[in-house]
Amino acid sequence: MDVDWEAYGWERLADGVGRRRLPGWDATVGLALGERAVLLYDTGSSLAEGAELRTQITDLTGGRRVTHIALSHPHFDHVFGTAAFSGAEVFGAVGSDELLGRVRDREALRADAVRHGLDEAAATEAVDVLVTPRHVVSGEWTLDLGGRQVLLANVGPGHTGHDLVLLVPGEREVVFCGDLVEESGEPQAGPDAIPSRWPDALDRLLRLGGEDAVYVPGHGAVVDATFVRLQREELATRFSVA
């Protein structure tokens, strides 16, 4: 899987595995390539951003299209681009399908996006065609991409009630953490966070990846297990959790 990641502004993490830090909110999207399938982890903050990613991934992979999408959690900067990937099988943590399908929650996402600076027309456009996950993960789900198996794991709740992480095994294991881990700023605990459960979610994340894995935050630079463990302790202190 010889891919020139850097030429397209992506960071190579392992063979056939990369990520891009998107402008604006510094949200990460991840990509895992198999022989038969292409998995995208998160889709950006707007339809325009999703369309840009779709074109870029097609160029980067020599004409292949995204076949599978895993959504880390239902916040606008991670899910609003999903509709740009027609035909992809979409996965999310159990309950995220119901949340993204409810009118009041879709409107709350739209309002949150506008409050954070997304153009109102772009936010409305994204909500009008917002894709709900067809496949929901309550525990773990292994996907065979062809010559590569990846694991989707529902390790939350924590940052939200619906946190889904992606483990890509290999010589250098890569764990895409979503916003359960953040490096470029303090982890954000909005009204849908479950602070008392967040440290436990990071414990599960560490057991999943182990000491030698590469951990990819939802925002910021790639980190290691030591960073995740320290952030776990900071969250436990911040929310007075043992």
Side-chain angles (χ1 to χ4, degrees), residues 50-229:
E52 179 192 358
L53 285 168
R54 182 191 65 220
T55 299
Q56 193 174 66
I57 291 167
T58 299
D59 292 343
L60 185 151
T61 60
R64 302 178 66 183
R65 69 177 185 88
V66 171
T67 57
H68 296 73
I69 289 171
L71 299 176
S72 64
H73 63 287
H75 283 171
F76 83 92
D77 50 332
H78 299 265
V79 305
F80 268 10
T82 307
F85 299 91
S86 177
E89 295 289 336
V90 182
F91 294 74
V94 64
S96 62
D97 55 333
E98 296 177 3
L99 186 150
L100 291 174
R102 285 193 293 261
V103 172
R104 68 176 183 273
D105 289 314
R106 292 163 76 102
E107 176 54 29
L109 275 179
R110 190 196 72 81
D112 188 54
V114 172
R115 186 165 54 250
H116 280 87
L118 184 63
D119 175 76
E120 186 169 0
T124 299
E125 178 187 38
V127 167
D128 284 346
V129 294
L130 193 60
V131 175
T132 60
R134 178 182 175 188
H135 310 285
V136 293
V137 183
S138 59
E140 297 181 352
W141 192 318
T142 299
L143 292 177
D144 186 352
L145 305 182
R148 160 172 279 143
Q149 290 190 332
V150 301
L151 181 70
L152 301 176
N154 184 344
V155 302
H159 175 68
T160 71
H162 316 286
D163 295 309
L164 187 69
V165 304
L166 168 65
L167 170 67
V168 185
E171 185 175 338
R172 187 188 191 196
E173 291 196 336
V174 180
V175 183
F176 290 94
C177 308
D179 286 3
L180 285 168
V181 179
E182 296 193 42
E183 185 276 335
S184 56
E186 185 177 82
Q188 297 302 301
D192 58 344
I194 305 178
S196 64
R197 304 286 296 279
W198 201 333
D200 288 341
L202 292 186
D203 287 338
R204 288 189 287 273
L205 184 71
L206 286 164
R207 287 195 296 271
L208 183 70
E211 287 300 309
D212 299 325
V214 173
Y215 292 88
V216 187
H219 303 264
V222 169
V223 300
D224 59 14
T226 298
F227 180 96
V228 177
R229 191 172 296 105

Side-chain angles (χ1 to χ4, degrees), residues 5 10 16-18 29-33 38-40 57 60-61 66 176:
W5 299 95
W10 288 64
V17 186
V29 295
L31 198 65
L33 308 179
V38 174
L39 172 67
L40 178 65
I57 291 167
L60 185 151
T61 60
V66 171
F176 290 94

